[in-house]
Amino acid sequence: MKPQLLKILVLIIVSRSLFSCDATKRIAEDEYLLTKNSVIINDKKDNSVAINSLLHQKPNRKITGIPLRLHIYNLARPNIDSILEEKIYNNPKKLARKTKKLSKKQVDREVEARINFNKWLKRTGEPPTIVDESITKKSAKRLQDYYINNGWFNVETTYDIDKNENQRAEIEYNLETGRPFMLDSISATIKSPVVESLYKKIKNDAVIKKGEQYRTSNFDQERERISSELRNAGVYHFNQDYVGFEIDTIGTNGNVNVDVKIQNRAIRTPDSVRRVPFQIYKIRDVNIITDYTFENRGKPFQDSIRYNSYKLYSYNKMRYQPKALTDAVFITPGEVFKDIDRTRTYRHLNELRTFKYPNIEQIENNDYTLTDTIRLTPLKKFSLGFSTDVSTSNIQTVGLSLNPSLLIRNIFRGAETLQISAVGSIGSSKEAKEGEPFFDINEYGLDVKLTIPRLFSPFYTENIIPKYMLPSTRISLAATSQTNIGLDKQTFSGAFNYNWFPNEKVTNKLDVFNVQYVKNLNIDNYFNVYSTSFGNLQDIALNSYNTPSEFILADANGNSILDKSRSDEFINLVLDDSNYASSNPNEYKDVNGIKERKDRLTENNLIISSSFSLIYDERTNLFDEDFSIFRSKLELAGNLFATASSLLGFQKNSNDRFELFDVAYSQYVKTEFEYTKHWDLGKKNVLAMRSFFGIAIPYGNSNSIPFAKSFFAGGPNDNRAWTAYSLGPGSSDTTNEFNEANLKLTLSAEQRFNIFEDLNGAIFVDAGNIWNVLDNTNTEGAVFNSFNSLKDIAIGSGFGLRYDFSFFVFRFDIGFKTYDPFYEANNRWFNDYNFSNAVYNIGINYPF
């Protein structure tokens, strides 16, 4: 490792020395390249992102200390058009030489290509930041305004430009803030009696409070809050412009007295503006047009229904149950106008996935009431989808898949949607035998999902989960079948769940029940799929056990091999041999572990579970890079049937487990917690962190967790220094193809930065592992015994590139094994820290 680091260090030093002289290549003699900004606040340097983002001029961005984009920009030739014109077109001899080899048209294309490449260099690069004192003054003023807006009214700002002989300059900004001003008395002057009455009810929740430091942003938020509260209390014509603040700091000894001023409503005419008191408005009528189109406007309605004070109209026969539409409308006849009801109505109607974006028109009546007309334009009842995919993997040379889908809207006239999806794929196995068809792999399946835009329940749930939380019910059924893929599985699943959103940040999901049945059709193929297990078994058969000759075959080269078709017989032979257990305890234990793993991975699974999950997401939009996300889930499986089996006196099978439909059902409790945090550091720099903890505990009818519900480690979205399923459990020396366990702990951190344009880079550290706990596994090093087991946390580090295509991000990461728990405890650091043992990951979008 040391020689590599030395080479990298030398390369960086040489690169910096070569590039340093080139940085000022494109600036005039009387100009200076800005290399550093310093902001000194009350004699202390401030490097915070908030302060540096206020400066108009910033030094060119650097990567490993080198302004790479500046050097790319400097490679471009200024006035390239005139240079090429002079060198080629205005030089008859050179032009003649070129046109002998190339046609005139080719010469023109060559010149155009050079011009376009020069433009690309300029576009990709970054022009030098030239010190401009007028812009420096603007930055100083901006810093001053920032502190004034945050309560330091007596702030003093100066700056100093330090110019060097090598055409480089540094700027230092100095600020003396003085003592901040604090809010003292807060009063209110309100013209309209209605508004004054409402303000008294909401003033205790004010953003501006006595004793707090003055901040302009708080006053802006208070203006928004007052406007929102009043508009949601029926004051239809109110907006933020009616709220003002009178600030008094004269003779207050550093305090601020605030008077909240709210004017009367302004009614403008062509000649004058008159002011009248605000009034509270109510909703008189709500009209819902269910099949509006531009072509239908002006035509008479053919059908109409009055339902719960709502009026529904249709140009054709009414195709919707009235309740399905009125449940999605929060604007209620007879109720006080609320601005939030309009927003919720838009959102809920969109969630139906049945209509195009709705149009809501409000007409003011003379008696302080409103008439709302909601125009709905239906989407097509049927939507067809079709996709194809070509792939390759470690088990197939080539694979082809077709995925047709059908979406049916308003299938039961209650705005329900039914989606039917199918999958059919064929592939060519890499281990296909001679004489077999080329496409010897196939998979097919069907998935049916019904979404109901309300809680489908025999009970009244409005008081528990009101309709503004956008409750919905999903019922799904799915079945798939695989041939020549692993153990050839048939899978059947069904789910009934509720989803609702208590607010914009929280998502709740309740799986009332989720049933999964997995049937393995080709168990005899186990040792072909899990070849490592067979290799370990064969080593024991050939080296440490007195294996009968009928279990041994010869391969094409005459070498002895274990008859794979008799692997199970050999396992039973070894485990029944008490002499071997005492003479070779380690090998005996290995064979027993191979059998336990085979039994678990080949058994049919029946999982009947219920779960609740919660997501708290602070993101405000897709481009927000300063947020946190918390996810949690609790899942319980098999409890109801275990209780029923005991009460009804069912008999257990030979493995002391109850069965349902001749399959031992799983019983366990599983919980997961995940926390992700992003910090926006400015200049397209983001620090991202993720932590995860999960545990699944079998009990009752199970002593292990089904493979589908276990945890694994490694892969492009986990610990990137290990491939998927290759890490863990713990420090156990395993070479299994698929390592899994029932306890997982991970922590990842990643620094993301922009290189140029849409190309971004990242450096990362991933830590974590999986362990077995409270199950039937007792493999040394694989079990989490105490906090001492945390020493087996694997650490990977590396770097990567990301290219942003707007609609997705292409990601390439290289992970190096930094701390590997598979080695001895005193020799785990940097053993395989090199490119030959690195793991190369390709992914879509960010790992977290």
Side-chain angles (χ1 to χ4, degrees):
M1 177 191 130
K2 291 182 179 178
Q4 288 184 344
L5 290 178
L6 182 60
K7 290 177 183 178
I8 293 172
L9 183 62
V10 171
L11 179 62
I12 292 174
I13 293 173
V14 172
S15 300
R16 293 188 66 174
S17 62
L18 289 175
F19 285 135
S20 61
C21 298
D22 191 53
T24 57
K25 180 178 179 180
R26 301 297 182 198
I27 65 175
E29 293 183 359
D30 58 342
E31 293 178 336
Y32 290 83
L33 178 69
L34 178 61
T35 59
K36 184 179 179 181
N37 282 323
S38 299
V39 181
I40 311 299
I41 311 295
N42 297 327
D43 299 324
K44 292 183 179 179
K45 194 170 184 178
D46 192 327
N47 287 323
S48 65
V49 175
I51 294 300
N52 280 284
S53 64
L54 298 173
L55 304 178
H56 289 285
Q57 276 196 313
K58 301 177 179 65
N60 293 96
R61 284 178 286 180
K62 296 179 180 179
I63 300 174
T64 65
I66 299 173
L68 179 60
R69 291 188 63 185
L70 170 61
H71 294 304
I72 293 175
Y73 181 89
N74 285 342
L75 291 174
R77 298 287 298 275
N79 306 316
I80 187 68
D81 303 55
S82 58
I83 291 173
L84 293 175
E85 181 76 25
E86 184 65 28
K87 288 179 63 176
I88 297 177
Y89 294 112
N90 294 341
N91 189 331
K93 292 183 179 180
K94 191 168 186 178
L95 182 60
R97 287 197 305 270
K98 279 188 167 291
T99 52
K100 279 184 179 181
K101 298 178 181 180
L102 305 170
S103 68
K104 178 64 165 58
K105 192 173 184 179
Q106 288 175 319
V107 172
D108 292 341
R109 287 180 179 176
E110 180 186 326
V111 171
E112 184 181 1
R114 293 177 64 178
I115 292 174
N116 289 335
F117 178 70
N118 202 74
K119 290 179 180 178
W120 180 86
L121 290 173
K122 285 188 174 182
R123 186 172 61 251
T124 304
E126 184 180 60
T129 302
I130 308 300
V131 173
D132 186 330
E133 189 166 0
S134 64
I135 299 179
T136 304
K137 290 179 180 178
K138 290 181 180 179
S139 295
K141 179 66 166 56
R142 197 173 185 182
L143 287 168
Q144 185 175 25
D145 291 343
Y146 172 83
Y147 276 90
I148 290 174
N149 286 328
N150 283 278
W152 287 277
F153 295 161
N154 297 323
V155 61
E156 295 182 0
T157 307
T158 59
Y159 64 86
D160 179 61
I161 302 175
D162 182 13
K163 298 178 180 179
N164 301 323
E165 294 180 357
N166 57 0
Q167 288 189 277
R168 289 167 172 77
E170 299 179 2
I171 303 178
E172 182 178 281
Y173 300 89
N174 279 278
L175 289 87
E176 294 292 335
T177 64
R179 188 169 67 88
F181 278 63
M182 312 298 289
L183 300 182
D184 192 7
S185 67
I186 300 175
S187 58
T189 303
I190 302 173
K191 299 289 186 179
S192 297
V194 165
V195 174
E196 184 177 21
S197 175
L198 292 172
Y199 179 79
K200 290 178 180 178
K201 298 177 182 179
I202 66 172
K203 68 178 183 178
N204 289 336
D205 297 324
V207 179
I208 54 173
K209 298 181 183 298
K210 181 178 179 178
E212 292 186 350
Q213 186 171 330
Y214 173 93
R215 286 185 173 84
T216 301
S217 59
N218 288 346
F219 284 80
D220 294 335
Q221 293 178 33
E222 178 66 0
R223 185 180 287 107
E224 292 177 9
R225 187 191 73 87
I226 293 173
S227 176
S228 177
E229 293 281 4
L230 295 181
R231 284 186 61 80
N232 286 323
V235 189
Y236 175 65
H237 290 286
F238 200 87
N239 60 55
Q240 296 181 37
D241 294 338
Y242 288 107
V243 182
F245 301 97
E246 187 174 280
I247 307 298
D248 180 19
T249 59
I250 299 176
T252 58
N253 193 28
N255 291 325
V256 180
N257 297 323
V258 181
D259 186 23
V260 181
K261 291 184 172 293
I262 302 179
Q263 300 294 325
N264 276 337
R265 176 190 170 192
I267 300 178
R268 307 185 192 288
T269 64
D271 300 324
S272 63
V273 176
R274 63 186 179 92
R275 292 193 175 271
V276 298
F278 284 101
Q279 300 293 334
I280 292 179
Y281 280 67
K282 289 188 174 183
I283 305 299
R284 178 197 287 180
D285 302 300
V286 178
N287 304 313
I288 304 174
I289 303 174
T290 63
D291 57 352
Y292 176 81
T293 63
F294 185 77
E295 293 78 12
N296 284 338
R297 72 192 190 287
K299 293 181 181 180
F301 296 114
Q302 301 298 318
D303 200 355
S304 65
I305 297 175
R306 189 176 184 88
Y307 180 82
N308 285 350
S309 302
Y310 291 93
K311 299 173 184 178
L312 290 82
Y313 300 93
S314 177
Y315 291 102
N316 299 292
K317 184 178 179 180
M318 188 74 65
R319 294 189 297 164
Y320 305 94
Q321 296 177 8
K323 188 178 187 305
L325 299 184
T326 57
D327 277 355
V329 176
F330 292 82
I331 306 169
T332 307
E335 297 291 327
V336 169
F337 160 80
K338 293 180 182 178
D339 205 30
I340 194 172
D341 288 343
R342 181 185 175 97
T343 302
R344 287 173 174 170
T345 299
Y346 274 121
R347 184 183 176 194
H348 208 130
L349 288 171
N350 281 326
E351 289 290 330
L352 295 180
R353 298 173 61 195
T354 303
F355 305 97
K356 296 179 182 178
Y357 194 78
N359 174 269
I360 302 177
E361 180 185 16
Q362 289 183 319
I363 298 176
E364 182 180 353
N365 303 310
N366 293 328
D367 57 350
Y368 304 124
T369 63
L370 299 170
T371 296
D372 286 71
T373 300
I374 302 173
R375 296 179 176 86
L376 303 176
T377 302
L379 295 168
K380 291 182 179 180
K381 186 176 182 66
F382 299 97
S383 293
L384 291 173
F386 189 82
S387 64
T388 60
D389 186 31
V390 180
S391 62
T392 183
S393 69
N394 61 334
I395 65 170
Q396 63 182 9
T397 305
V398 63
L400 306 173
S401 67
L402 303 176
N403 303 90
S405 64
L406 171 65
L407 181 67
I408 307 174
R409 297 182 177 89
N410 194 39
I411 186 169
F412 301 122
R413 299 182 65 240
E416 306 90 350
T417 57
L418 178 68
Q419 185 171 3
I420 304 173
S421 304
V423 58
S425 65
I426 56 175
S428 177
S429 171
K430 289 186 176 180
E431 298 181 358
K433 298 178 181 178
E434 187 175 351
E436 292 183 347
F438 179 75
F439 288 110
D440 59 331
I441 293 176
N442 67 74
E443 180 179 8
Y444 54 89
L446 187 68
D447 188 3
V448 180
K449 295 178 182 177
L450 175 66
T451 302
I452 304 171
R454 53 194 169 276
L455 292 188
F456 186 70
S457 168
F459 309 106
Y460 182 74
T461 58
E462 176 68 21
N463 292 334
I464 304 173
I465 304 176
K467 68 178 186 178
Y468 76 81
M469 294 184 181
L470 301 178
S472 64
T473 304
R474 173 170 287 186
I475 304 170
S476 62
L477 294 171
T480 59
S481 179
Q482 300 174 342
T483 301
N484 282 345
I485 302 177
L487 303 181
D488 296 352
K489 297 179 183 294
Q490 284 184 345
T491 304
F492 303 91
S493 63
F496 183 96
N497 60 60
Y498 297 133
N499 296 271
W500 68 97
F501 307 88
N503 54 57
E504 293 182 354
K505 296 181 179 179
V506 177
T507 300
N508 289 333
K509 179 181 178 182
L510 173 65
D511 272 358
V512 181
F513 68 83
N514 190 315
V515 180
Q516 297 179 52
Y517 172 61
V518 180
K519 182 179 182 181
N520 296 299
L521 303 177
N522 189 10
I523 296 176
D524 293 338
N525 196 40
Y526 177 83
F527 284 112
N528 289 322
V529 176
Y530 298 94
S531 57
T532 301
S533 294
F534 177 75
N536 295 336
L537 191 67
Q538 182 172 256
D539 288 341
I540 294 173
L542 299 179
N543 299 319
S544 66
Y545 192 76
N546 187 19
T547 307
S549 59
E550 61 265 25
F551 287 86
I552 305 300
L553 301 176
D555 63 11
N557 298 319
N559 299 317
S560 297
I561 59 173
L562 176 65
D563 186 353
K564 190 175 291 186
S565 65
R566 305 190 69 176
S567 297
D568 290 331
E569 292 181 61
F570 176 73
I571 290 174
N572 294 329
L573 183 68
V574 172
L575 296 181
D576 291 338
D577 191 340
S578 57
N579 292 328
Y580 186 73
S582 58
S583 62
N584 296 76
N586 292 330
E587 287 78 3
Y588 182 88
K589 186 177 179 181
D590 289 343
V591 174
N592 188 60
I594 292 172
K595 177 178 173 21
E596 288 181 351
R597 179 174 169 82
K598 178 178 183 292
D599 291 344
R600 189 160 75 87
L601 296 184
T602 58
E603 72 173 350
N604 298 330
N605 293 132
L606 178 60
I607 305 171
I608 306 169
S609 65
S610 299
S611 66
F612 175 77
S613 60
L614 178 147
I615 301 175
Y616 183 84
D617 190 343
E618 288 188 335
R619 282 179 296 187
T620 56
N621 55 64
L622 291 174
F623 305 102
D624 188 3
E625 286 293 357
D626 202 330
F627 64 88
S628 64
I629 303 176
F630 174 75
R631 296 183 177 92
S632 63
K633 182 178 181 179
L634 176 65
E635 181 178 0
L636 299 168
N639 293 335
L640 179 62
F641 288 94
T643 303
S645 299
S646 298
L647 292 176
L648 297 176
F650 289 174
Q651 297 297 313
K652 293 185 178 182
N653 62 16
S654 58
N655 294 320
D656 198 32
R657 301 177 67 185
F658 290 117
E659 292 184 342
L660 185 65
F661 306 120
D662 296 326
V663 180
Y665 54 84
S666 299
Q667 188 175 7
Y668 61 85
V669 57
K670 181 180 181 181
T671 186
E672 300 175 5
F673 300 95
E674 182 179 0
Y675 179 73
T676 302
K677 175 66 178 176
H678 284 207
W679 290 273
D680 190 346
L681 305 180
K683 300 180 183 178
K684 296 185 178 182
N685 279 267
V686 176
L687 176 62
M689 181 274 291
R690 177 184 61 182
S691 57
F692 176 89
F693 172 79
I695 185 171
I697 303 174
Y699 62 96
N701 208 50
S702 297
N703 54 22
S704 64
I705 299 299
F707 182 82
K709 295 293 182 177
S710 298
F711 300 107
F712 72 91
N717 296 320
D718 198 77
N719 197 323
R720 284 161 278 187
W722 280 262
T723 57
Y725 292 99
S726 66
L727 175 58
S731 61
S732 58
D733 185 13
T734 175
T735 54
N736 293 322
E737 289 84 358
F738 299 97
N739 296 301
E740 38 77 42
N742 63 326
L743 172 66
K744 181 174 183 178
L745 179 65
T746 62
L747 179 65
S748 296
E750 182 171 284
Q751 173 71 53
R752 301 166 186 167
F753 52 88
N754 180 253
I755 298 176
F756 57 81
E757 291 189 339
D758 295 323
L759 182 63
N760 301 294
I763 54 175
F764 59 83
V765 176
D766 300 322
N769 209 332
I770 56 174
W771 294 267
N772 288 93
V773 62
L774 301 175
D775 64 0
N776 62 350
T777 300
N778 54 17
T779 304
E780 185 179 355
V783 179
F784 191 95
N785 295 310
S786 65
F787 284 109
N788 288 331
S789 298
L790 294 177
K791 70 179 183 298
D792 296 331
I793 288 179
I795 301 176
S797 59
F799 59 91
L801 297 173
R802 293 94 165 84
Y803 192 86
D804 191 347
F805 287 94
S806 296
F807 51 93
F808 75 90
V809 174
F810 177 82
R811 175 165 54 91
F812 174 71
D813 290 327
I814 304 176
F816 301 93
K817 295 177 178 64
T818 308
Y819 179 87
D820 193 341
F822 293 166
Y823 286 94
E824 295 295 328
N826 59 350
N827 185 35
R828 293 179 171 181
W829 288 98
F830 302 109
N831 281 294
D832 298 317
Y833 201 89
N834 50 63
F835 284 98
S836 60
N837 289 298
V839 174
Y840 300 86
N841 299 280
I842 293 177
I844 300 298
N845 295 326
Y846 292 103
F848 52 87

